[in-house]
Amino acid sequence: MVRRPGWVDHLIGWHVYPLGFVGAPKRLESGEVSHRLGHLEAWLDHAVSLGCSGLALGPIFASASHGYDTLDYFAVDPRLGDDTDFDHLVHAAHSRGLSVLLDGVFNHVSSRNQVVQDALAAGPETDAGRMVRWRDGQLDVFEGHGDLVSLNHDDPAVRDLVTRVMNHWSDRGVDGWRLDAAYSVNPEFWAAVLPLVRAEHPDVWVFGEVIHGDYAGIVKASGMDSVTQYELWKAIWSSIESRNFFELDHALGRHNEFSDAFTPMTFVGNHDVTRIASKVGQDGAMVATAVLATIGGVPLIYYGDELAYRGIKEERFGGDDDIRPVFPASPAELSNLGAETLRTHQDLLGLRRRHPWLVDARTESLDLTNERYVYRSGVPGVEPLIVELDVRDGCSALIREAGQVIWSSRT
């Protein structure tokens, strides 16, 4: 049976990378607190007007640089603010009907983290040393990043640490979690941790970053509620870019199967990938968003995509900066360049909110060629949506219900 707390039935997340959003310095130079979370709080009404019901935050724990090199799991990054700032943000979000989800970076920590320093001082064959992984007498690092030391998830002390961290922030109002690099952690670790978290917070929603593999098997073995649907993400932009909707049709067939086992987390952009508009152009991005709005799962909108932002991810130091931009102090300072894209997102997310059954939708192909794709999206007992995608002459999409066009990118 698919587990899903009731609040997730209506979840549409606005995904924000906080350190970039508020213009924080690239590195933590001191422990001096800068109260920048108010900058993000000023945009909560924008998230609501967009049609979102959740705020999915990137890393907020104290870290050495980009947020994924944690220094202290129990402290807000001083470049963002302090506990009071965080509590105020959570209260402000909840008062607007926005749930709050945090990024749990539990696969690795900064080499400067006290856990690592204690392990180095004590040695591998000690209680402190067993909290991290070692390779040939040296600290084991994550995917070649020397500053990211892998935690030892076979050690009960690491299980206890992660449980305490998740419960600590959930106690303070956090509704859900993204588990960073979950693909690198044994599912058995999460199977031990998550019941302890749910015992205290039964309505928590937990999804893992999983790029490829047996999604349904990983969910079942780990006890996570969901995983990121990277397979579908790739098929959406690739089908538009290459004018080959057979790839999308295949991925949606797989998506139906995944949805039988869990409720996937869907997206067309995030903090780790080139912007959808940079991949397929702005018209193509609207087609991609139409797909996101009309398929099963829990959709996440990456901040800036709704405003026609562009950005290229590059494999170099600082190569993520272009896709993790600072936002103006408030929506009032926006130019009109993204106004049309914003209205399109509002229309599509409004459509989704009026059809809440879409979280459980399954799709069926009705007409398929390389450059044109028509699918039905529905659940038993409701009038389905008919979605038409066309890249023969530009990129366009339209959605019908009961024979009537209810949305079109052509207008």
Side-chain angles (χ1 to χ4, degrees):
M1 177 180 292
V2 176
R3 176 194 180 275
R4 191 171 70 223
W7 64 273
V8 181
D9 292 350
H10 306 279
L11 178 58
I12 301 171
W14 193 47
H15 178 196
V16 174
Y17 176 75
L19 289 167
F21 188 100
V22 305
K26 300 301 181 186
R27 295 187 181 278
L28 181 67
E29 301 296 344
S30 72
E32 183 178 351
V33 175
S34 297
H35 303 280
R36 293 188 172 93
L37 281 180
H39 182 159
L40 176 54
E41 190 174 320
W43 283 82
L44 295 181
D45 288 334
H46 168 82
V48 173
S49 69
L50 177 60
C52 292
S53 58
L55 176 64
L57 295 172
I60 60 95
F61 304 146
S63 70
S65 59
H66 45 63
Y68 292 94
D69 46 359
T70 307
L71 294 171
D72 186 346
Y73 283 119
F74 296 97
V76 174
D77 195 302
R79 293 171 293 171
L80 296 174
D82 57 20
D83 283 353
T84 300
D85 296 319
F86 177 79
D87 291 341
H88 198 276
L89 175 65
V90 171
H91 175 76
H94 285 168
S95 70
R96 290 166 171 80
L98 294 168
S99 54
V100 177
L101 298 88
L102 287 192
D103 204 339
V105 187
F106 300 128
N107 177 68
H108 48 266
V109 295
S110 168
S111 59
R112 292 161 48 192
N113 189 292
Q114 193 61 51
V115 169
V116 178
Q117 295 302 305
D118 289 346
L120 281 171
E125 302 302 323
T126 64
D127 288 346
R130 280 187 282 272
M131 290 192 70
V132 299
R133 292 198 177 276
W134 302 80
R135 185 186 299 271
D136 299 326
Q138 303 294 319
L139 294 173
D140 194 8
V141 299
F142 175 62
E143 296 184 350
H145 300 284
D147 291 333
L148 303 180
V149 178
S150 299
L151 294 173
N152 177 16
H153 297 90
D154 297 326
D155 183 34
V158 173
R159 178 197 63 201
D160 294 343
L161 171 63
V162 173
T163 301
R164 286 192 293 114
V165 172
M166 295 183 73
N167 277 328
H168 170 81
W169 294 99
S170 297
D171 285 344
R172 291 175 56 179
V174 169
D175 303 286
W177 291 86
R178 171 191 180 269
L179 303 178
D180 181 66
Y183 57 86
S184 292
V185 180
N186 289 332
E188 291 78 10
F189 175 80
W190 299 117
V193 167
L194 295 181
L196 301 175
V197 176
R198 293 195 182 107
E200 301 292 331
H201 305 280
D203 286 335
V204 72
W205 175 255
V206 181
F207 69 98
E209 180 195 14
V210 178
I211 298 174
H212 50 72
D214 180 6
Y215 288 167
I218 292 170
V219 168
K220 181 178 180 180
S222 67
M224 291 186 290
D225 296 303
S226 183
V227 295
T228 51
Q229 233 290 36
Y230 266 92
E231 185 177 306
L232 181 62
W233 160 78
K234 192 270 181 183
I236 291 174
W237 66 258
S238 180
S239 292
I240 298 169
E241 182 184 59
S242 64
R243 298 174 180 264
N244 176 19
F245 281 125
F246 284 90
E247 181 179 0
L248 178 58
D249 180 64
H250 175 76
L252 284 176
R254 297 258 297 165
H255 190 67
N256 286 339
E257 296 175 5
F258 297 145
S259 297
D260 289 338
F262 64 96
T263 306
M265 302 298 294
T266 58
F267 61 96
V268 296
N270 67 28
H271 64 295
D272 279 330
V273 301
T274 290
R275 292 264 182 192
I276 185 66
S278 295
K279 279 283 192 184
V280 297
Q282 201 53 47
D283 288 345
M286 293 304 92
V287 171
T289 306
V291 175
L292 185 68
T294 56
I295 59 174
V298 174
L300 298 173
I301 306 297
Y302 185 54
Y303 83 106
D305 282 355
E306 80 278 15
L307 296 168
Y309 274 46
R310 295 187 178 229
I312 306 294
K313 178 183 173 67
E314 299 180 10
E315 298 300 330
R316 60 173 177 81
F317 180 77
D320 294 317
D321 293 351
D322 200 31
I323 58 173
R324 302 175 179 181
V326 61
F327 256 35
S330 74
E333 297 185 24
L334 286 172
S335 75
N336 290 323
L337 294 177
E340 182 179 351
T341 301
L342 177 59
R343 284 192 296 271
T344 297
H345 276 77
Q346 290 171 326
D347 289 345
L348 285 170
L349 297 187
L351 182 154
R352 188 176 183 93
R353 289 170 70 94
R354 293 189 299 276
H355 300 78
W357 51 262
L358 279 164
V359 68
D360 291 315
R362 305 294 191 272
T363 60
E364 177 186 358
S365 175
L366 301 179
D367 186 27
L368 176 62
T369 67
N370 279 342
E371 298 181 327
R372 184 172 183 271
Y373 184 33
V374 182
Y375 63 86
R376 177 191 292 114
S377 185
V379 297
V382 303
E383 182 71 33
L385 300 181
I386 308 300
V387 183
E388 300 183 18
L389 313 176
D390 197 324
V391 294
R392 290 174 295 184
D393 183 18
C395 294
S396 64
L398 64 83
I399 304 169
R400 288 190 173 92
E401 184 178 30
Q404 302 296 314
V405 175
I406 60 173
W407 181 84
S408 173
S409 66
R410 300 189 184 103
T411 58

